[in-house]
Amino acid sequence: MKLWSGRFSKNTDKTVDDFNSSIRFDSRMVRQDIKGSMAHAEMLGKCNVISEEDARLIVNTLTEILDDIENDKVSFDPKAEDIHMYVEQMLIERIGDIGKKLHTGRSRNDQVALDIRLYLKDECRLIKNMIVGLMDTVLKTAKDHVKTIMPGYTHLQRAQPITFGHHMMAYFQMFQRDTERLDDCVKRMDQMPLGSGALAATTYPLDRYYVAQKLGFSDITRNSMDGVSDRDFVIELASVLSIFMMHISRMSEEIILWASKEFSFIELDDAYSTGSSIMPQKKNPDVAELARGKTGRMYGNLMTLLSVMKSLPLAYNKDMQEDKEAIFDSIDTVKMCIPAFTGMLSTMKVNKKNMLDATGAGFTNATDLADYLTVKGISFRNAHEITGKLVGYCVEKGLRIEELDLDVLKSFSVLIEEDIYEAIRPETCVNRRNIPGGPAYEAVMETIREAEQYLKKIHDY
Ligand code: ARG
């Protein structure tokens, strides 16, 4: 019999039961559901809404149920409507009528709002730790390669020399923002909704702050209607995780390119690559490809959540049950992706020689030649023009700028002297870009020190 069946004269149709039930996906919030109920029962006793003795029996029985769950002694009845009903049903089976007092001053609407907040807060902490682990690896790779010269690209065309360390630190910045966005999103999850009731709070004198403090919330929700119908924090998390995976997909794309024969900048470890069932020579970057591909479902989940919430009248509507599968899928996807991706990154080999060769072959020092002429007194526009002509000449001859003799160089501009060869060496090009945020060794080391401090603070915490 259903706990709400009083006013009904018929059982619900089987198709409705199947359609309505959420236990197959919301049972993962069972711990949060039980902890929330324990705090609620304890508060009911403390506020004399139920007797202290009944409260104690409820809390003790919930503790036993939790133990049984941890010891795998409970199987979730797939026919139960949802995890909230199922836990309450187990409680009533164990202690009868006293168990029926638990739901005093509470609705499943504020209960589910509580459970999802508790659950997502926990998951945000876990995911942040995983991203921090990835950042450790990115930072280590950057440190190993502060002097590894490679071409930087725009339009996927070789542009200017940078270092692989500088390139890696660009991703570090992105992942740092991801962790900051996670922290920020947790702030708005961190409000305790119990006491909102179904939508219009409750007539019982509940101590909401007590429950909030018991459950580790720093605040309570401020409006009972918003308290049960707000899912902004779910959408925010889906968005934060989508942005994170967008970063992962960009890095994946680069790894896929770099691992190709055409680039040959890196080689992925055998443990993080896969073979082809038909082509024996193949070694494929599946981890990076799948990470790139899974970014799509993250955006899908975000769209699902935005669409579910669109135009919903206040307060709770059953539509909102649809929030869970989407956000759980985003969480599961990210948690599966990060360890494989981090492992792939930490084991890949970097081919410094090919990176340097590509830098030289791509006229990535052309801007530096123009800068050289500008410093010698002509306008940058004219210097740009002269350098362009010189590059055109090199393309025709199949030579690099630094391979031209001084008198050939001088035929393009008399301002060019012997010191040009030093000025357009890739190392010079990189290390002269020594302003904060630049690719020069000193500048990158500065960001590495900052990054170390950022991570240290999180690790110490
Ligand atoms: N399973 C529901 C959900 O996930 C719980 C809340 C149901 N409340 C209700 N009045 N039907 O949203």
Side-chain angles (χ1 to χ4, degrees):
M1 206 186 65
K2 295 203 165 66
L3 291 171
W4 43 254
S5 63
R7 65 98 70 207
F8 290 82
S9 55
K10 275 188 187 173
N11 286 332
T12 41
D13 193 82
K14 161 131 189 11
T15 56
V16 175
D17 279 342
D18 293 346
F19 188 55
N20 217 15
S21 169
S22 54
I23 193 158
R24 69 181 182 284
F25 50 83
D26 64 19
S27 58
R28 66 160 83 192
M29 304 192 299
V30 66
R31 287 169 193 80
Q32 289 75 15
D33 193 75
I34 293 177
K35 292 204 169 120
S37 289
M38 286 161 77
H40 179 67
E42 209 179 309
M43 179 276 296
L44 289 177
K46 184 184 89 77
C47 299
N48 295 318
V49 177
I50 64 174
S51 74
E52 295 259 12
E53 205 186 328
D54 287 350
R56 213 169 308 121
L57 181 61
I58 293 173
V59 171
N60 289 343
T61 312
L62 287 170
T63 312
E64 283 165 25
I65 294 175
L66 192 57
D67 279 352
D68 288 351
I69 288 168
E70 300 301 359
N71 295 319
D72 270 340
K73 287 195 203 146
V74 173
S75 57
F76 297 103
D77 177 5
K79 289 204 284 300
E81 192 177 331
D82 57 27
I83 190 61
H84 325 294
M85 290 304 217
Y86 191 60
V87 169
E88 197 180 333
Q89 198 180 300
M90 281 195 284
L91 180 72
I92 294 169
E93 270 162 24
R94 293 186 189 203
I95 55 172
D97 278 352
I98 297 175
K100 294 182 182 172
K101 297 184 180 185
L102 169 65
H103 212 51
T104 316
R106 190 178 71 171
S107 156
R108 254 187 308 156
N109 297 351
D110 56 359
Q111 193 178 350
V112 71
L114 174 78
D115 292 4
I116 188 86
R117 283 169 186 268
L118 283 171
Y119 185 84
L120 295 185
K121 271 175 67 180
D122 288 346
E123 290 297 323
C124 283
R125 197 174 336 108
L126 296 176
I127 291 172
K128 181 172 171 186
N129 284 341
M130 294 177 106
I131 299 180
V132 165
L134 169 61
M135 290 164 79
D136 286 333
T137 295
V138 172
L139 185 63
K140 161 137 202 336
T141 313
K143 276 163 94 175
D144 290 346
H145 293 285
V146 241
K147 291 187 174 169
T148 304
I149 306 274
M150 74 180 285
Y153 294 79
T154 63
H155 312 268
L156 206 53
Q157 305 287 324
R158 290 170 190 163
Q160 290 174 338
I162 52 162
T163 64
F164 192 57
H166 190 56
H167 200 126
M168 284 294 112
M169 287 310 287
Y171 283 105
F172 189 95
Q173 307 302 323
M174 294 178 228
F175 296 140
Q176 177 169 339
R177 289 197 295 276
D178 291 323
T179 59
E180 289 164 358
R181 262 188 288 271
L182 262 180
D183 289 345
D184 192 57
C185 157
V186 169
K187 276 186 215 154
R188 282 174 293 281
M189 267 171 212
D190 197 18
Q191 294 184 336
M192 203 289 298
L194 278 194
S196 301
L199 78 160
T202 176
T203 52
Y204 301 99
L206 306 187
D207 187 344
R208 300 188 62 208
Y209 287 102
Y210 180 81
V211 177
Q213 183 256 323
K214 274 261 132 186
L215 294 172
F217 282 94
S218 57
D219 203 355
I220 59 169
T221 54
R222 298 287 156 179
N223 178 293
S224 63
M225 297 183 74
D226 184 49
V228 289
S229 66
D230 166 31
R231 293 293 183 275
D232 292 3
F233 56 93
V234 184
I235 297 174
E236 281 187 49
L237 179 57
S239 157
V240 169
L241 298 181
S242 292
I243 296 174
F244 167 68
M245 284 299 286
M246 177 268 287
H247 295 150
I248 289 284
S249 78
R250 297 183 73 179
M251 199 170 191
S252 295
E253 173 72 9
E254 298 206 301
I255 286 170
I256 293 162
L257 287 170
W258 294 338
S260 69
K261 256 277 148 313
E262 284 69 13
F263 274 82
S264 296
F265 283 1
I266 58 165
E267 191 186 338
L268 295 179
D269 194 82
D270 279 2
Y272 291 90
S273 315
T274 52
S276 156
S277 60
I278 170 169
M279 298 165 282
Q281 85 284 10
K282 288 295 286 292
K283 181 167 163 184
N284 297 327
D286 283 28
V287 172
E289 289 172 85
L290 207 47
R292 183 179 62 181
K294 282 183 187 292
T295 307
R297 70 197 288 155
M298 304 295 288
Y299 298 178
N301 291 334
L302 174 59
M303 272 307 131
T304 297
L305 290 163
L306 284 167
S307 312
V308 165
M309 292 308 291
K310 177 183 177 294
S311 319
L312 277 192
L314 300 189
Y316 178 84
N317 299 271
K318 188 75 172 205
D319 311 45
M320 289 157 70
Q321 179 167 289
E322 285 289 303
D323 63 350
K324 285 169 211 70
E325 284 163 292
I327 195 66
F328 293 165
D329 182 72
S330 288
I331 287 170
D332 294 348
T333 302
V334 163
K335 282 168 76 180
M336 271 216 301
C337 177
I338 301 176
F341 192 87
T342 306
M344 173 188 66
L345 202 64
S346 66
T347 52
M348 78 184 183
K349 295 223 161 37
V350 174
N351 192 337
K352 296 186 191 184
K353 188 181 163 301
N354 286 352
M355 284 185 175
L356 186 62
D357 274 358
T359 312
F363 301 108
T364 57
N365 50 6
T367 314
D368 293 80
L369 172 56
D371 286 342
Y372 170 93
L373 291 169
T374 309
V375 171
K376 298 230 163 168
I378 58 175
S379 72
F380 181 75
R381 272 294 147 237
N382 286 340
H384 187 287
E385 172 77 17
I386 293 167
T387 309
K389 290 221 164 75
L390 210 150
V391 168
Y393 176 83
C394 288
V395 172
E396 203 179 290
K397 300 279 176 205
L399 291 168
R400 302 178 179 192
I401 302 173
E402 56 275 25
E403 285 169 347
L404 300 179
D405 287 339
L406 187 58
D407 44 324
V408 180
L409 288 167
K410 269 189 174 305
S411 70
F412 287 89
S413 169
V414 290
L415 294 173
I416 298 177
E417 306 284 350
E418 186 62 39
D419 60 353
I420 187 62
Y421 296 106
E422 173 58 27
I424 60 171
R425 270 192 333 121
E427 290 80 3
T428 316
C429 301
V430 167
N431 286 322
R432 291 197 53 212
R433 290 173 155 72
N434 191 18
I435 66 166
Y441 174 79
E442 298 286 329
V444 174
M445 283 311 291
E446 184 55 36
T447 63
I448 285 177
R449 277 188 290 274
E450 283 167 11
E452 277 169 343
Q453 272 167 23
Y454 181 75
L455 290 178
K456 186 174 181 310
K457 243 195 268 160
I458 296 177
H459 286 306
D460 288 352
Y461 183 65

